[in-house]
Amino acid sequence: AQSVTQLDSHVSVSEGTPVLLRCNYSSSYSPSLFWYVQHPNKGLQLLLKYTSAATLVKGINGFEAEFKKSETSFHLTKPSAHMSDAAEYFCVVSEMDSSYKLIFGSGTRLLVRP
Amino acid sequence: DSGVTQTPKHLITATGQRVTLRCSPRSGDLSVYWYQQSLDQGLQFLIQYYNGEERAKGNILERFSAQQFPDLHSELNLSSLELGDSALYFCASSVRTGKNTGELFFGEGSRLTVL
């Protein structure tokens, strides 16, 4: 079975500083990996996805993630945090059976200090 | 706006009651997924329907059931409600093709409070 582990439940950064949200995955196959973001009282929105093309994936709002097979990692980064980035971020793997259901990590809450 | 519509947005009910949550997927999407988000369990996959047929089942309790109708909208029925069923219930949809990339489009959720 596929799974993801988000290594930090909370990350706090100052506005304008880099963001790093860590995720490790476990998969028997070449996985499809995603980062989703959830703002307060909102649904989940796709930030970016990796589906075995380029290992460095660019997403919306300046976020990017790098797929590293040797480290089984898919960390999310952003060079400069903005106040509007404060939200919960989920690392997600797609099940490789016919359902394609998503398996979510436990989430990382990003706090951005002014 | 994801194009996925969920109703009601908020629902407060009592233990032992039954509720129905409704989801309209994005136009053209054949697959509907239900997820439960709670503080202690995180985001848990409940069930998936594809074009009216159940396709996959996750951690869905026997007190819960779902269906997808011919017009592709879906309903999640929760019965004999317990305090622990209080959660945010998300519906998501996708176009399921032979090489589905797995991206799901989520509604804004139905927040259920059981008192």
Side-chain angles (χ1 to χ4, degrees):
Chain A
Q2 319 225 60
S3 65
V4 289
T5 302
Q6 293 184 244
L7 301 172
D8 306 293
S9 59
H10 293 82
V11 169
S12 180
V13 301
S14 296
E15 190 175 21
T17 64
V19 175
L20 170 63
L21 305 183
R22 299 181 296 163
C23 172
N24 287 346
Y25 70 89
S26 172
S27 174
S28 304
Y29 309 95
S30 183
S32 291
L33 292 162
F34 310 80
W35 277 96
Y36 277 78
V37 61
Q38 184 180 24
H39 286 95
N41 301 314
K42 292 289 186 184
L44 293 116
Q45 180 186 18
L46 179 69
L47 268 183
L48 49 81
K49 60 184 177 184
Y50 166 77
T51 53
S52 73
T55 56
L56 182 62
V57 182
K58 293 189 185 299
I60 62 172
N61 301 333
F63 284 94
E64 61 182 39
E66 186 171 8
F67 175 74
K68 290 188 177 180
K69 187 173 181 178
S70 61
E71 299 176 9
T72 61
S73 69
F74 190 58
H75 301 336
L76 181 70
T77 60
K78 182 173 181 178
S80 176
H82 191 273
M83 295 298 292
S84 61
D85 294 329
E88 184 131 23
Y89 292 79
F90 293 92
C91 183
V92 184
V93 64
S94 178
E95 193 67 84
M96 296 306 289
D97 61 16
S98 60
S99 72
Y100 298 102
K101 65 179 180 286
L102 299 183
I103 310 298
F104 283 79
S106 54
T108 298
R109 185 165 296 279
L110 176 64
L111 306 172
V112 182
R113 303 184 303 271
Chain B
D1 183 6
S2 67
V4 178
T5 303
Q6 290 188 247
T7 57
K9 290 193 187 305
H10 301 275
L11 190 55
I12 301 174
T13 189
T15 54
Q17 294 299 304
R18 172 190 169 94
V19 299
T20 297
L21 309 180
R22 182 188 167 102
C23 170
S24 294
R26 289 189 324 158
S27 177
D29 283 359
L30 301 178
S31 204
V32 169
Y33 302 74
W34 286 98
Y35 283 82
Q36 178 194 58
Q37 185 178 35
S38 60
L39 283 175
D40 54 344
Q41 297 286 329
L43 264 160
Q44 297 284 319
F45 167 72
L46 295 179
I47 198 164
Q48 179 209 1
Y49 280 82
Y50 173 70
N51 203 20
E53 302 282 331
E54 182 184 303
R55 180 56 60 97
K57 219 167 189 177
N59 301 320
I60 187 166
L61 301 171
E62 286 196 10
R63 300 183 286 107
F64 296 179
S65 65
Q67 55 184 325
Q68 186 179 28
F69 295 86
D71 66 353
L72 300 177
H73 91 271
S74 178
E75 292 181 357
L76 179 66
N77 300 297
L78 316 175
S79 61
S80 302
L81 285 168
E82 301 176 359
L83 296 178
D85 297 328
S86 295
L88 193 52
Y89 291 85
F90 284 109
C91 170
S93 73
S94 73
V95 178
R96 186 180 176 280
T97 66
K99 284 190 74 69
N100 192 326
T101 61
E103 178 179 355
L104 301 189
F105 296 87
F106 283 81
E108 295 202 347
S110 292
R111 182 171 295 282
L112 173 66
T113 303
V114 182
L115 301 176

